Amino acid sequence: MKALNIVHAYNNKKMFKGRTKGVNYFFYLLDVMISLALLFISYHIVQKYLHPNMEWDNYYYTFIAFLIPSLLILLHTTNISRIPRTSTTLSIFFDFVRFTIVLSVLCFAFNFLFRLETVAVSVLALYLVANHFTLFFVRLTTFRYFKEYRAGGHNTNNVIIIADDQSEPIIDKILEKKEWGLRILMILTNSEKIWKKYQGQIKIMPDKINLRSIMDVDIVDEIIYSNSIIDHDRVNSLVKLCEEVGVVFRLQNDFAPQSTEFGNLTHIDYIPVLTVMNTPSNQIAVAWKTLTESVFAFLAMLVVSPILLLVALLIKIDSKGPIIFKQKRVGLRGRQFYIYKFRTMVTNAEELKKKLEAQNESDGPAFKIKHDPRITRIGRFLRKTSLDEVPQLMNVIKGEMSLIGPRPPIPSEVEQYERWQLRRLSVKPGLTCTWQIIPNRNDVVFEKWMKLDLQYIDNWSLKNDAKLLLKTIRAVFVNNGY
């Protein structure tokens, strides 16, 4: 099979793979901590057996200040902290070789350029060797564990395959390699050969079925186009269809669709596929965003915990009912989760909502009333100060949300979305976004709100996230919401 044409990245700006991404970034932190521990161990071994008069001084702290960001960047760019689905042990080993070579060059160059005289070369050499084999052993162990985990039907990606007579190899591979975590939701084909072989084992539908309607009903993570004869118009329409709602598109054939400017050549085992996603990305920046947000959320929860206890007490005194309000929300690509907030309404708020729908001051599927009678006394204060949102830091820590990103809608709102509005679900939802920081935000029409979210996705950067965070803090003190 000829190699696919390689085209530029089309979407991976803020696209996180749900739970898998959260686990990946946990391993970033774990790898860094293991690596730092190995540096300390290497130092003490060298001190005991080679240089008993050697002392730990400020030069070592300078080296560590350089080492931590270097590790984070290299761990991500070399992908060795990811939990791979289809990699072999040999490919993982060579990933670590590449990582160690680059890290070695950086460490010795930094040590030479900044004249860290007391950081012994023997310490660095022992550290780099120990770091290579220890991290490789840890990754190999976790890789094997997650292979078994996925083989048990966990952490799966739902896949639709558009197939013909020549598609048996990729279908068989996906069925055979349970550890990849790819679940074939259905096959769309007119091939009698495919129907005969897989009917009863996999749901099979005619090739011309309305794929758009299937994607509206089922949770679909990926679509694989695996036809030997390529219909250019159909491929282009599929790319646009996937782009609308943030679903990954993969082309398994000898060429890339000419209509798209962006794409990425990946492999399922040794089978080349073209992966097309719906927004551009800066992988290092994405990794840094997820890492810093998780750490920030955890530290913020610790710092404000006394205030949270006080708020919890006031809520309990003010009205009957639970302190924390849980509500089902829609996150990445339609996955549902429970959002946590301090309760700001009476316990029968959802029942009262039906009686108040005629007073809704928001257009579209959103529901807002300026002087909502369901809100409690302490609840009004919490909303004005945005303190009711603080428990959502737990959603950030759990990996269900980001600090910055489109607000997660409730399922009933999503059911009323127009198709182009579904693309806001192609990224992880956040605590705050562009809409939250504009003046008189509740007077903004629903369509503009959706366009602001899509504009955020299309222009994402760490710099813009930092600006939004600062503007959100300012908006809290302005108190222009309700």
Side-chain angles (χ1 to χ4, degrees):
M1 179 179 292
K2 297 179 182 177
L4 290 170
N5 294 330
I6 302 177
V7 288
H8 301 294
Y10 189 47
N11 163 32
N12 210 2
K13 172 194 306 183
K14 282 197 54 164
M15 171 176 162
F16 305 103
K17 297 189 182 218
R19 295 162 297 184
T20 303
K21 281 287 186 181
V23 173
N24 286 349
Y25 292 124
F26 166 78
F27 281 111
Y28 284 142
L29 293 174
L30 179 63
D31 288 343
V32 171
M33 288 188 291
I34 291 174
S35 190
L36 292 177
L38 290 171
L39 178 62
F40 285 105
I41 293 170
S42 299
Y43 165 81
H44 286 294
I45 290 175
V46 171
Q47 183 191 49
K48 182 175 181 179
Y49 295 104
L50 295 178
H51 303 292
N53 296 325
M54 187 170 60
E55 294 182 359
W56 183 279
D57 57 18
N58 289 334
Y59 283 131
Y60 279 94
Y61 292 113
T62 302
F63 181 76
I64 289 173
F66 154 81
L67 184 62
I68 292 175
S70 298
L71 284 170
L72 288 171
I73 293 172
L74 283 176
L75 286 169
H76 182 74
T77 55
T78 57
N79 282 328
I80 64 171
S81 281
R82 78 196 190 288
I83 303 301
R85 287 185 182 270
T86 61
S87 297
T88 62
T89 301
L90 187 61
S91 67
I92 294 174
F93 177 79
F94 281 113
D95 283 343
F96 273 90
V97 170
R98 181 165 55 117
F99 165 82
T100 301
I101 290 173
V102 176
L103 182 62
S104 299
V105 171
L106 290 175
C107 287
F108 283 111
F110 184 83
N111 193 39
F112 174 77
L113 291 173
F114 287 87
R115 300 181 182 277
L116 306 181
E117 300 172 354
T118 57
V119 179
V121 172
S122 53
V123 172
L124 290 182
L126 180 59
Y127 157 71
L128 290 167
V129 172
N131 192 61
H132 173 83
F133 287 103
T134 303
L135 292 185
F136 174 68
F137 175 79
V138 170
R139 189 61 63 251
L140 204 59
T141 302
T142 55
F143 176 56
R144 289 174 178 171
Y145 168 80
F146 276 97
K147 283 174 66 175
E148 295 178 2
Y149 184 72
R150 292 187 183 116
H154 304 287
N155 190 222
T156 57
N157 277 358
N158 292 334
V159 177
I160 292 179
I161 300 179
I162 301 171
D164 63 10
D165 287 348
Q166 308 304 316
S167 303
E168 284 184 84
I170 193 169
I171 296 173
D172 288 340
K173 276 288 184 182
I174 292 174
L175 292 175
E176 175 191 350
K177 301 288 188 178
K178 300 292 185 183
E179 66 271 19
W180 289 354
L182 299 177
R183 172 178 173 262
I184 301 178
L185 192 66
M186 67 179 66
I187 298 173
L188 305 184
T189 186
N190 293 326
S191 167
E192 292 183 6
K193 182 180 179 182
I194 298 295
W195 276 80
K196 183 177 180 180
K197 181 173 181 178
Y198 299 105
Q199 192 173 23
Q201 185 179 3
I202 304 171
K203 184 177 181 181
I204 303 178
M205 303 292 286
D207 184 69
K208 297 300 182 182
I209 196 170
N210 190 333
L211 185 56
R212 179 189 294 261
S213 62
I214 293 175
M215 294 168 68
D216 288 341
V217 174
D218 292 309
I219 292 177
V220 180
D221 294 296
E222 302 181 11
I223 291 177
I224 299 177
Y225 186 95
S226 177
N227 280 4
S228 54
I229 300 176
I230 301 298
D231 182 339
H232 289 238
D233 292 335
R234 189 177 185 202
V235 169
N236 292 332
S237 66
L238 285 171
V239 170
K240 293 177 182 177
L241 179 64
C242 291
E243 180 185 2
E244 282 181 338
V245 293
V247 169
V248 176
F249 176 82
R250 300 185 190 271
L251 175 69
Q252 188 261 304
N253 204 273
D254 294 337
F255 81 105
Q258 298 176 1
S259 64
T260 179
E261 299 178 10
F262 310 104
N264 184 32
L265 180 67
T266 57
H267 292 79
I268 298 180
D269 204 15
Y270 295 105
I271 302 174
V273 293
L274 175 71
T275 301
V276 179
M277 294 175 276
N278 72 327
T279 47
S281 71
N282 181 326
Q283 291 284 349
I284 295 175
V286 169
W288 184 251
K289 170 185 169 66
T290 303
L291 174 66
T292 53
E293 285 187 342
S294 300
V295 173
F296 177 86
F298 178 75
L299 295 177
M301 287 290 285
L302 291 179
V303 171
V304 302
S305 56
I307 298 176
L308 300 185
L309 290 174
L310 176 61
V311 170
L313 180 62
L314 293 175
I315 292 172
K316 206 64 180 175
I317 294 173
D318 184 52
S319 61
K320 295 180 179 180
I323 294 170
I324 298 296
F325 171 70
K326 291 200 310 180
Q327 187 180 46
K328 188 175 288 186
R329 296 293 181 101
V330 180
L332 181 64
R333 294 202 195 92
R335 288 171 170 81
Q336 296 187 359
F337 67 99
Y338 283 97
I339 198 173
Y340 305 112
K341 301 176 69 173
F342 279 125
R343 182 176 59 83
T344 59
M345 291 187 174
V346 294
T347 52
N348 61 337
E350 289 300 315
E351 298 175 11
L352 294 175
K353 178 181 175 181
K354 298 177 182 179
K355 301 178 182 179
L356 297 169
E357 285 180 349
Q359 302 178 39
N360 186 13
E361 299 174 14
S362 176
D363 67 322
F367 182 84
K368 290 185 179 293
I369 302 176
K370 190 170 186 178
H371 299 291
D372 196 326
R374 301 173 299 165
I375 300 176
T376 62
R377 289 174 299 175
I378 186 63
R380 198 166 299 279
F381 168 76
L382 294 177
R383 289 190 171 207
K384 283 289 184 181
T385 58
S386 295
L387 284 172
D388 62 315
E389 308 281 357
V390 174
Q392 288 169 47
L393 291 172
M394 283 302 302
N395 293 110
V396 177
I397 295 171
K398 290 171 66 178
E400 297 164 335
M401 293 177 62
S402 296
L403 287 179
I404 313 296
R407 290 293 296 159
I410 60 177
S412 61
E413 290 178 6
V414 176
E415 291 173 1
Q416 301 176 60
Y417 276 5
E418 295 181 27
R419 190 163 191 84
W420 65 269
Q421 295 166 350
L422 290 172
R423 190 160 70 89
R424 73 188 297 268
L425 301 178
S426 66
V427 300
K428 191 182 295 186
L431 271 68
T432 184
C433 201
T434 311
W435 176 79
Q436 275 75 21
I437 53 91
I438 60 176
N440 303 313
R441 65 175 185 257
N442 292 291
D443 296 329
V444 174
V445 296
F446 183 78
E447 183 174 342
K448 184 178 179 181
W449 175 9
M450 297 295 101
K451 288 181 177 179
L452 287 172
D453 284 343
L454 296 184
Q455 186 181 50
Y456 165 79
I457 295 171
D458 293 333
N459 297 282
W460 178 83
S461 69
L462 288 176
K463 181 180 179 181
N464 289 340
D465 268 9
K467 288 180 178 179
L468 283 172
L469 184 59
L470 293 174
K471 289 180 179 179
T472 297
I473 295 173
R474 183 179 65 182
V476 168
F477 290 101
V478 172
N479 294 335
N480 61 353
Y482 52 81

